[in-house]
Amino acid sequence: MTTLLPRFLKALERFHAAHPWDHNARYHRWIMRQLPKRFGTALDIGSGSGDLARLLGTRAGSVRGLDADPAIVARARALTAPAAPVAFTVGDALADIPSGSYNVITCVAALHHLPFSDALGVFRRHLAPGGTLVVVGLARAQSTGDRLLGAVAVPLNVAMAWIKNRGRRSARSASMTAPVRPAVMSFADIVREARQVLPGARLRRRVFWRYTLVWHQN
């Protein structure tokens, strides 16, 4: 058993390298369900190739995507129609947020790259009264519940990878090019610190090693 497990994990790595799919994009429609049908301004932190920012642009008056990677920002711009109300900026997620307030702020799979409480404080300051913050983040597995949810995700992940890549000769995810960084905070730590900065925030564990956070500015 002890020799089979490393072989199984290596086989999974090889399979997913050959059949990648965007775990984060799975949550885009869910994010849109948390938002008003129409809103004025939106900011997408860690916008990658811009899929979510462009989706936000179907409801918003204007959307700004912010990412630290110049190459992926260039790709986002190339994929965005000139008439779309969406613009992309290269910059630091905390230091370079364009001035002003936003009715919607989203942050998908980027918060674990940032100082957690500081980042939430910055997002809160840039959120307009009545605005909505939506985060899809990564947490370190710690509890039994975390590990059970992770175990359930393994066969689902294989199934989704197979479905998403069926009929393709090769597949490559281009939603982000930044190095992958593992999460260091447990979900319990995330809940505790998030509610100190954002009282009343709603947090929930999700499948595919994610959690969600929704908070409304008074």
Side-chain angles (χ1 to χ4, degrees), residues 100-105 122-133 215-217:
S101 59
Y102 299 87
N103 303 112
V104 168
I105 296 178
V122 170
F123 299 165
R124 176 174 180 162
R125 289 194 293 275
H126 282 274
L127 196 63
T132 303
L133 168 66
W215 185 73
H216 301 285
Q217 178 85 279

Side-chain angles (χ1 to χ4, degrees), residues 119-160:
L120 291 183
V122 170
F123 299 165
R124 176 174 180 162
R125 289 194 293 275
H126 282 274
L127 196 63
T132 303
L133 168 66
V134 183
V135 173
V136 177
L138 283 70
R140 176 176 59 84
Q142 184 181 57
S143 69
T144 301
D146 295 335
R147 295 187 179 93
L148 286 173
L149 196 56
V152 169
V154 170
L156 292 177
N157 195 40
V158 172
M160 288 296 293

Side-chain angles (χ1 to χ4, degrees), residues 37-75:
K37 291 184 177 179
R38 296 296 303 174
F39 44 89
T41 56
L43 173 67
D44 184 30
I45 301 291
S47 49
S49 57
D51 291 346
L52 178 57
R54 286 186 290 272
L55 191 57
L56 293 169
T58 64
R59 295 194 197 174
S62 65
V63 180
R64 179 62 61 91
L66 182 65
D67 200 289
D69 184 346
I72 202 66
V73 169
R75 177 168 175 78

Side-chain angles (χ1 to χ4, degrees), residues 181-201:
R181 178 181 299 177
V184 296
M185 293 178 68
S186 70
F187 182 70
D189 292 335
I190 288 165
V191 171
R192 183 179 63 255
E193 292 194 25
R195 288 180 175 163
Q196 290 176 354
V197 182
L198 308 172

